[in-house]
């Protein structure tokens, strides 16, 4: 999607990806290799003007060496290193004055017990590293679940921390683009709905008071402004019953909650990422439609039947006003894998939601 956004601006992308004919190869020139392999990353970078990432679980050491050798790496390896470790991220945001829920490092049993007695239950235990789509989280409902939660995440030696449970009313997200000179621009605020810890739908603008949306954008800009380097960042937040907000986590790359920007905003998250890392003027982040909803196409099984359901969903989208399809060409259909997404725009978020509901009913064969 970065390469597709770059094409009309005359920006050509090369992608380092371990899988032959990876999705990126549709629009970018692919070099087959691992982004966790230092030698591969360095050899790849030698052929580029600017190096960026679209996954944070990369070899930061390699990027540090490149950067020291004069290669332009955006955002900076320091920023990527901080964000890559969710606990380091929390500490960084505390120092930057960003509102967060209580959290504690859990290097061992004693630290976990003391955090549990301070925060109570349910308690959210998280892996510091390599987490995505809920795969680094374990909830302990009572003290009796703590040992299982630690075991599920691979033990204390993996690097664990915990968070006090946040009884949120809604989950919100906002994309922020940061220029090399530190300028930040926020996109509209999105409501995200997760199923089994995986983003299912997003709605923009989020159905929240303007004051709350402004506070979310201010907190997100403060958070991303505190880093170094350029690029697009996804910021996830919790909205509490009393209208206050807490930051959950951020990602240093285009984000699922920003997919709607392709059809919904004047300048998409992808175009703005390229503008930012190239040192070009940032693009207009405002909505160019009344409202936009995005639905992920998740694998709901393996094999042909699941593929048939995904195809019906896209067929229904093609027959829906305001709907666009994005199919990622991932090699196999797998349970819970993000295979693509749909975006439906309209004169308002309510109309876009209605159109999506009609589309989903049509795809499931329900004529009512
Ligand atoms: P991931 O990297 O998998 O996105 P997150 O830390 O964002 O991990 O957690 C995934 C989901 O788990 C969140 O979107 C939210 O629904 C829930 N969650 C995370 N932290 C908390 C918390 N402290 N209290 C309650 N729910 C949480
Ligand atoms: Mg998350």
């Amino acid at each position: 999607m970065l390469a597709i956004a770059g094409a009309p601006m005359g920006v050509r992308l090369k992608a380092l990806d371990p899988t032959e004919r990876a999705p990126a190869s549709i629009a970018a020139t692919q070099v087959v290799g691992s982004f966790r392999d230092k030698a591969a990353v360095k050899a790849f970078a030698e052929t580029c003007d600017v190096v960026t990432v679209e996954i944070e679980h990369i070899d930061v050491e390699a990027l540090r060496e490149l950067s020291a050798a004069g290669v332009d790496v955006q955002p900076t390896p320091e920023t990527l290193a901080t964000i890559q470790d969710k606990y380091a991220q929390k500490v960084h945001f505390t120092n930057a004055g960003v509102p967060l829920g209580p959290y504690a490092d859990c290097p061992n049993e004693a630290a976990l017990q003391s955090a549990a007695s301070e925060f109570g239950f349910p308690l959210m235990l998280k892996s510091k590293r390599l987490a995505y789509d809920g795969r680094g989280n374990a909830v302990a409902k009572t003290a009796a679940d703590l040992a299982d939660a630690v075991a599920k995440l691979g033990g204390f030696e993996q690097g664990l921390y915990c968070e006090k449970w946040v009884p949120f009313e809604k989950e919100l997200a906002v994309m922020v683009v940061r220029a090399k000179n530190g300028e930040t621009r926020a996109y509209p605020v999105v409501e995200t709905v997760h199923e089994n810890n995986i983003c299912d739908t997003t709605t923009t603008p989020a159905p929240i008071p303007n004051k709350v949306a402004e506070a979310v954008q201010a907190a997100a800009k403060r958070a991303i402004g505190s880093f170094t380097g350029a690029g697009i960042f996804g910021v996830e937040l919790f909205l509490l019953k009393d209208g206050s907000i807490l930051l959950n986590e951020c990602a240093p790359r285009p984000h699922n909650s920003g997919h709607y920007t392709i059809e919904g905003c004047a300048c998409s998250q992808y175009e703005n990422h390229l503008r930012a890392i190239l040192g070009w003027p940032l693009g207009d982040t405002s909505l160019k439609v009344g409202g936009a909803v995005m639905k992920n196409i998740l694998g709901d099984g393996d094999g042909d039947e699941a593929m048939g359901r995904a195809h019906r969903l896209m067929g229904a989208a093609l027959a829906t006003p305001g709907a666009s399809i994005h199919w990622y060409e991932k090699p196999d259909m797998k349970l819970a894998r993000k295979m693509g997404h749909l975006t439906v725009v309209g004169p308002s978020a309510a109309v876009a939601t209605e159109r999506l509901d009609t589309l989903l009913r049509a795809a499931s064969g329900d004529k009512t």
Side-chain angles (χ1 to χ4, degrees), residues 218-248:
K221 282 172 72 169
R222 174 185 278 264
I224 301 313
S226 72
F227 290 123
T228 55
I232 190 93
F233 294 76
V235 182
E236 301 176 9
L237 306 102
F238 298 123
L239 173 63
L240 307 189
K241 268 207 178 68
D242 65 1
S244 63
I245 50 164
L246 298 173
L247 189 141
N248 171 26

Side-chain angles (χ1 to χ4, degrees), residues 39 42-43 66 112 152 200 214 235 251 259 266 274 276 290 314 331-332 335 360:
K42 287 171 101 174
L66 288 177
L112 175 62
K152 183 191 159 198
D200 179 51
E214 282 161 20
V235 182
H259 281 154
L274 295 174
M314 290 193 289
D332 303 300
L335 188 64
L360 294 175

Side-chain angles (χ1 to χ4, degrees), residues 91 125 141 171 183 198 220 229-230 241 254 259 302 331 335 338 363:
V91 173
L125 194 63
K141 288 196 176 131
E171 288 195 79
E183 180 194 352
I198 303 177
K241 268 207 178 68
H259 281 154
D302 303 330
L335 188 64
K338 287 174 178 166

Side-chain angles (χ1 to χ4, degrees), residues 38 58-66 77:
K38 211 184 218 180
I58 26 91
D59 186 336
V60 171
E61 267 321 301
L63 296 182
R64 279 207 173 101
E65 286 174 25
L66 288 177

Side-chain angles (χ1 to χ4, degrees), residues 30-353:
Q30 187 190 351
V31 175
V32 178
S34 172
F35 41 78
R36 297 203 183 102
D37 171 353
K38 211 184 218 180
V41 170
K42 287 171 101 174
F44 173 78
E46 273 170 16
T47 65
C48 303
D49 297 314
V50 189
V51 174
T52 191
V53 299
E54 48 118 74
I55 179 168
E56 58 273 32
H57 308 305
I58 26 91
D59 186 336
V60 171
E61 267 321 301
L63 296 182
R64 279 207 173 101
E65 286 174 25
L66 288 177
S67 189
V71 177
D72 192 3
V73 181
Q74 302 292 342
T76 62
E78 290 64 44
T79 295
L80 297 171
T82 303
I83 293 175
Q84 188 172 73
D85 178 330
K86 285 170 100 167
Y87 178 73
Q89 203 189 117
K90 294 267 173 191
V91 173
H92 176 93
F93 286 144
T94 301
N95 295 334
V98 177
L100 296 177
Y103 62 94
D105 196 8
C106 295
N108 52 44
E109 183 64 34
L112 175 62
Q113 290 296 344
S114 113
S117 59
E118 191 186 339
F119 299 159
F121 291 93
L123 185 71
M124 179 62 98
L125 194 63
K126 295 190 179 181
S127 289
K128 291 181 177 179
R129 290 176 177 276
L130 300 176
Y132 73 101
D133 287 348
R135 276 173 237 202
N137 293 355
V139 181
K141 288 196 176 131
T142 69
D145 303 327
L146 284 173
D148 280 352
V150 171
K152 183 191 159 198
L153 300 182
F156 290 108
E157 59 278 15
Q158 292 299 315
L160 306 180
Y161 78 103
C162 73
E163 296 179 9
K164 185 171 171 157
W165 189 258
V166 179
F168 59 80
E169 184 127 294
K170 284 185 194 304
E171 288 195 79
L172 304 174
V174 56
M175 299 305 302
V176 175
V177 61
R178 186 184 196 284
K180 285 184 172 176
N181 67 8
E183 180 194 352
T184 52
R185 289 190 186 183
Y187 277 85
V189 180
V190 176
E191 177 176 6
T192 56
V193 175
H194 291 79
E195 297 274 348
N196 303 319
N197 279 303
I198 303 177
C199 179
D200 179 51
T201 55
T202 72
T203 303
T204 319
I208 52 172
N210 281 343
K211 268 215 155 95
V212 175
E214 282 161 20
V216 167
Q217 288 178 320
K221 282 172 72 169
R222 174 185 278 264
I224 301 313
S226 72
F227 290 123
T228 55
I232 190 93
F233 294 76
V235 182
E236 301 176 9
L237 306 102
F238 298 123
L239 173 63
L240 307 189
K241 268 207 178 68
D242 65 1
S244 63
I245 50 164
L246 298 173
L247 189 141
N248 171 26
E249 61 163 350
C250 80
R253 52 170 166 77
H255 194 256
N256 200 171
S257 69
H259 281 154
Y260 80 92
T261 62
I262 297 174
E263 288 84 9
C265 294
C267 179
S268 77
Q269 62 169 347
Y270 301 100
E271 181 178 335
N272 242 337
H273 181 68
L274 295 174
R275 286 174 176 239
I277 66 172
L278 290 164
W280 293 358
L282 298 182
D284 179 357
T285 54
S286 62
L287 268 181
K288 65 179 181 192
V289 294
V293 293
M294 185 285 312
K295 171 142 186 94
N296 277 325
I297 305 176
L298 293 175
D300 60 356
D302 303 330
D304 291 349
E305 266 185 43
M307 193 62 100
R309 284 190 291 274
H311 284 171
R312 274 201 295 286
L313 206 52
M314 290 193 289
L318 290 174
T320 302
S324 304
I325 61 174
H326 296 264
W327 183 249
Y328 305 158
E329 296 261 23
K330 290 191 179 175
D332 303 300
M333 182 94 183
K334 275 204 181 138
L335 188 64
R337 176 176 269 181
K338 287 174 178 166
M339 302 302 295
H341 75 268
L342 310 175
T343 300
V344 187
V345 301
S348 66
V351 170
T353 303

